[in-house]
Amino acid sequence: MDGGIEQTRDIYSKCCFDMIKRIYIIVLSMVIALSAMGVQFSHLSVSGSAVEEGEMPMRQLDNRYVSYLSLSPGTFTLNGTDSRGNAVALGIDDYGKVSADGVAVTVDTSIVVKMTYDVSDSSLQIKPISSLSLKGTVVPDETCLDYVGKGVWRGSVNLSGETVDEYLNRYFYFVFNNDDNQAVRPIPGTFRVATSDNKISGLENIRINRGVYDITLDMSDYTYAIDSPVDEERISVFGSSVANGQGAELMHGYAYLLGEQLRTRYADGESPNGFYTSGVSIGGNNTANLLDRYPDVLNDFGRYVIIGLSLGNEGIHESTNQEAIFNGFVTNMLTLINKLRSDGKIPVVVNNYTRGDYNESDYGCVKKMNLLIHGWDVPSINSLGAIDDGTGKWSVGYIADVAHPNTQGHKEFMCAFVPSLFDAILAGKSHPRRDTSQQIELKENMTLVITPEGTLHPFTLCFRVKVTGACRLLNFAHETGSLTGTGSLWLNGDGTVTYNSPRNGSVTASESAVNDGDWHDIALSHYYARGYTALYIDGKEVAHVHENINLNGGFTVAGSKDFGSSVCVSEIALWRAGMNEDEMRAHHDGEMLKSSLEIYSPMKLDNNGKIVNFAQSLNEIKVSGISTANTLTGRGVGDAALTTSTDGSAMHFINRIHVYDNH
């Protein structure tokens, strides 16, 4: 009986083992089948007599392998290497599936195709491609690229389609077979492209201004390229809504107005260069957005790039961590500047400006940021000094809405640009450096005359002087319609300074005496939009007047004939912007504030009597009152004098500085 039980157990065990074995074999077969369906390749190509150049690689996209190529009469197979390093050759089996047991595919006509091998179902799809066209707002009808081989389409096209002025709405994209379901668009911020079946979200159109371009779509590596000669006179304006003209009539903001000014200067013979502006700005953008869409500015092919952004779009007003916002703006701006330079561009930065909702903390961040930008090794524009009301908000009458200036506000922004800035950059003028080691002595009847380029609205004029007596330090003419007036700065006998407004009386600063034989910084700063003129002495605001100045002519500095005394001048600076106390204190402490700087002269004279404006402009300082009997004396501070004299003529030139005789 026991033997029967053991035999029964053996039979049962054998049955279980056979069942397990059969299940294992079935499962193993399923695994092998699934593995064959999902096999991956380290390399796969289309090869054979039907294939251009005999072989075209396939690009892996998830479980699909894709190739764009031309076929001609002949045959082809899929060949490559699997993930284990084994060579594979695939054809089509009796069921129309890709298989190692399949045969080569026969082609009986010449055709360009998109070939897709889907390993998940072993299918091979071949779509004929009859055309690759461009579509979009800048594209004329029936604009196509030619197939040039190896998955590449190329052509020279004139993107002259009519569209609205706003840059955001100027675009194109690629389309196969004139079918939007076969569109090809870039992955944002890159020159890589994808099709609608690539399952990549957020594909964008290619934004571009009108023009003639060589355009390439390379579907062998899924990239596109746009080529055109760099325009040495084009200034791309790369920024947000204010840079795009938001708030101005017809969107003709400061960038547009600057372009018009530059065209006028060229037409009038004031500039040998036909500079013009080209907008690539989009409303709402911040520094991260510009980095994300960096190809936009490269595709504009300008030599110069104005970066027009602000802390407002970074979220400074809403942030509970303003330091992080501030530091992020600095990091991204410097990254943009470095990228532009590495790509052969010349960047120019528009400083931060006002907003209607800024509070004291926001304003502090803006002023701090602008002080940083003043010192960067890049040309910059002091837009805050154009229409600041003194609290970080727009001046009354210059606002379109909380975030944007109106047309008049944009005009003030434009006035903060040095008109010959781009001429000076092209001429090779570098950034100025502070130098207080030199001085000139202006004796009786000698004056320095500074005439700003173009229309000057906001301005700050600062001079470093040493005086022991009384004298007139500054004189200028004001004109509004038929009304005229004279503004002046006087150093009184008791050492106080009086500003005589051409429109609104006079004020005297009595805080300290400045005729003590020491050097002092005396500045007049005018906010045209705000209607405010401030007098600064040694970086401190000591008096102010409410007025609007329309300058008629230039500034005359240190005209001392009234008292017969002499004045020593060590520095003169003219900015095309009003300056707040933080800025003037920084200047007094020795910082080089370069934003909107039209004149910077350290009064340095060499043996040839040369006085040079070191600011990035082509403006010059005129010296009046020199004669053979009345010479201009220059020397290092504390050094022996170097003297220049005239040649007795009515006018002569010392380098680029006009020197006039007054006899």
Side-chain angles (χ1 to χ4, degrees), residues 520-593:
H520 294 279
D521 289 313
I522 301 177
L524 202 64
S525 184
H526 179 59
Y527 288 84
Y528 184 89
R530 181 182 172 190
Y532 187 90
T533 302
L535 173 62
Y536 290 96
I537 296 178
D538 294 335
K540 180 181 179 182
E541 182 177 341
V542 293
H544 67 268
V545 172
H546 294 282
E547 62 180 352
N548 292 100
I549 296 174
N550 290 299
L551 194 67
N552 180 19
F555 299 98
T556 301
V557 178
S560 57
K561 64 179 183 180
D562 306 88
F563 294 93
S565 60
S566 64
V567 178
C568 289
V569 182
S570 177
E571 277 186 310
I572 289 182
L574 172 67
W575 295 270
R576 299 181 67 89
M579 303 282 266
N580 57 61
E581 194 164 71
D582 291 351
E583 290 169 311
M584 295 313 301
R585 187 181 304 112
H587 175 76
H588 179 65
D589 290 341
E591 297 294 326
M592 182 76 254
L593 306 184

Side-chain angles (χ1 to χ4, degrees), residues 251-311:
M251 301 289 285
H252 288 174
Y254 75 79
Y256 174 87
L257 297 173
L258 174 63
E260 292 299 292
Q261 181 188 71
L262 294 172
R263 290 178 188 273
T264 300
R265 282 174 53 81
Y266 178 68
D268 293 346
E270 296 175 356
S271 168
N273 306 300
F275 293 119
Y276 66 100
T277 55
S278 175
V280 286
S281 298
I282 295 178
N285 272 196
N286 54 29
T287 53
N289 296 136
L290 261 58
L291 288 170
D292 287 343
R293 64 180 187 91
Y294 184 72
D296 285 11
V297 75
L298 296 183
N299 289 340
D300 202 45
F301 297 98
R303 177 60 68 197
Y304 305 88
V305 178
I306 294 173
I307 305 173
L309 294 173
S310 75
L311 283 167

Side-chain angles (χ1 to χ4, degrees), residues 36-41 44 58-67 78 90 92 96-99 115-126 197 199:
M37 291 175 63
V39 67
Q40 299 296 311
F41 303 92
L44 192 65
M58 303 193 82
R59 185 179 183 87
Q60 183 180 3
L61 301 172
D62 298 322
N63 286 325
R64 294 170 297 128
Y65 290 82
V66 179
S67 183
L78 306 185
L90 306 174
I92 301 298
K97 298 294 185 179
V98 175
S99 169
M115 188 178 298
T116 304
Y117 167 38
D118 191 334
V119 299
S120 65
D121 61 6
S122 298
S123 64
L124 184 67
Q125 184 183 61
I126 300 176
D197 60 354
K199 301 177 182 178

Side-chain angles (χ1 to χ4, degrees), residues 314-617:
E314 304 290 315
I316 195 72
H317 177 65
E318 301 83 5
S319 177
T320 58
N321 188 351
Q322 291 190 327
E323 182 179 2
I325 296 294
F326 185 97
N327 292 337
F329 183 88
V330 171
T331 298
N332 288 347
M333 284 293 291
L334 294 177
T335 299
L336 273 170
I337 291 168
N338 290 332
K339 283 173 69 70
L340 289 166
R341 284 177 170 158
S342 68
D343 286 316
K345 310 295 184 184
I346 299 173
V348 174
V349 174
V350 175
N351 294 12
N352 275 262
Y353 41 84
T354 52
R355 263 180 51 146
D357 57 0
Y358 275 167
N359 55 37
E360 184 177 354
S361 178
D362 304 332
Y363 188 37
C365 289
V366 168
K367 291 190 290 183
K368 181 180 176 182
M369 183 65 72
N370 284 358
L371 278 176
L372 274 181
I373 297 174
H374 268 296
W376 286 353
D377 184 25
V378 61
S380 53
I381 312 303
N382 189 352
S383 53
L384 180 67
I387 46 179
D388 181 16
D389 73 346
T391 69
K393 297 180 177 62
W394 307 109
S395 292
V396 176
Y398 292 81
I399 178 173
D401 55 51
V402 168
H404 305 101
N406 60 16
T407 300
Q408 293 303 314
H410 277 279
K411 287 181 179 178
E412 293 305 297
F413 271 29
M414 189 274 291
C415 284
F417 280 82
V418 174
S420 65
L421 170 64
F422 296 97
D423 295 307
I425 295 172
L426 182 58
K429 291 195 75 172
S430 58
H431 302 292
R433 296 182 179 181
R434 288 295 295 273
D435 182 1
T436 58
S437 65
Q438 305 294 317
Q439 62 177 300
I440 61 171
E441 184 179 359
L442 296 177
K443 298 179 181 178
E444 185 178 359
N445 294 325
M446 290 184 186
T447 59
L448 304 178
V449 178
I450 299 175
T451 303
E453 298 173 331
T455 300
L456 185 71
H457 272 188
F459 70 82
T460 300
L461 179 64
C462 182
F463 38 93
R464 185 170 182 263
V465 295
K466 181 170 66 174
V467 187
T468 55
C471 65
R472 183 177 57 193
L473 294 171
L474 179 67
N475 207 61
F476 63 89
H478 159 83
E479 180 177 314
T480 302
S482 59
L483 300 176
T484 61
T486 300
S488 61
L489 269 178
W490 289 83
L491 177 57
N492 305 311
D494 61 359
T496 59
V497 177
T498 296
Y499 170 56
N500 295 308
S501 165
R503 301 197 61 190
N504 198 16
S506 63
V507 290
T508 298
S510 58
E511 282 80 355
S512 60
V514 297
N515 60 349
D516 54 4
D518 288 333
W519 290 103
H520 294 279
D521 289 313
I522 301 177
L524 202 64
S525 184
H526 179 59
Y527 288 84
Y528 184 89
R530 181 182 172 190
Y532 187 90
T533 302
L535 173 62
Y536 290 96
I537 296 178
D538 294 335
K540 180 181 179 182
E541 182 177 341
V542 293
H544 67 268
V545 172
H546 294 282
E547 62 180 352
N548 292 100
I549 296 174
N550 290 299
L551 194 67
N552 180 19
F555 299 98
T556 301
V557 178
S560 57
K561 64 179 183 180
D562 306 88
F563 294 93
S565 60
S566 64
V567 178
C568 289
V569 182
S570 177
E571 277 186 310
I572 289 182
L574 172 67
W575 295 270
R576 299 181 67 89
M579 303 282 266
N580 57 61
E581 194 164 71
D582 291 351
E583 290 169 311
M584 295 313 301
R585 187 181 304 112
H587 175 76
H588 179 65
D589 290 341
E591 297 294 326
M592 182 76 254
L593 306 184
K594 300 188 293 290
S595 302
S596 296
L597 183 64
E598 183 172 333
I599 294 286
Y600 176 71
S601 180
M603 301 291 105
K604 185 178 291 185
L605 291 177
D606 61 18
N607 289 325
N608 297 317
K610 177 182 177 182
I611 302 177
V612 180
N613 169 27
F614 289 105
Q616 284 185 305
S617 85

Side-chain angles (χ1 to χ4, degrees), residues 627-647:
S627 67
T628 53
N630 197 22
T631 59
L632 180 66
T633 302
R635 62 179 181 273
V637 174
D639 295 339
L642 296 174
T643 303
T644 66
S645 61
T646 70
D647 57 5

Side-chain angles (χ1 to χ4, degrees), residues 190-222:
T190 74
F191 288 96
R192 294 182 292 117
V193 297
T195 59
S196 56
D197 60 354
N198 289 158
K199 301 177 182 178
I200 297 176
S201 61
L203 299 180
E204 294 185 346
N205 296 321
I206 300 169
R207 291 177 292 266
I208 197 166
N209 286 309
R210 291 182 284 267
V212 177
Y213 304 97
D214 293 326
I215 298 179
T216 300
L217 179 65
D218 187 344
M219 295 305 289
S220 69
D221 63 1
Y222 282 68

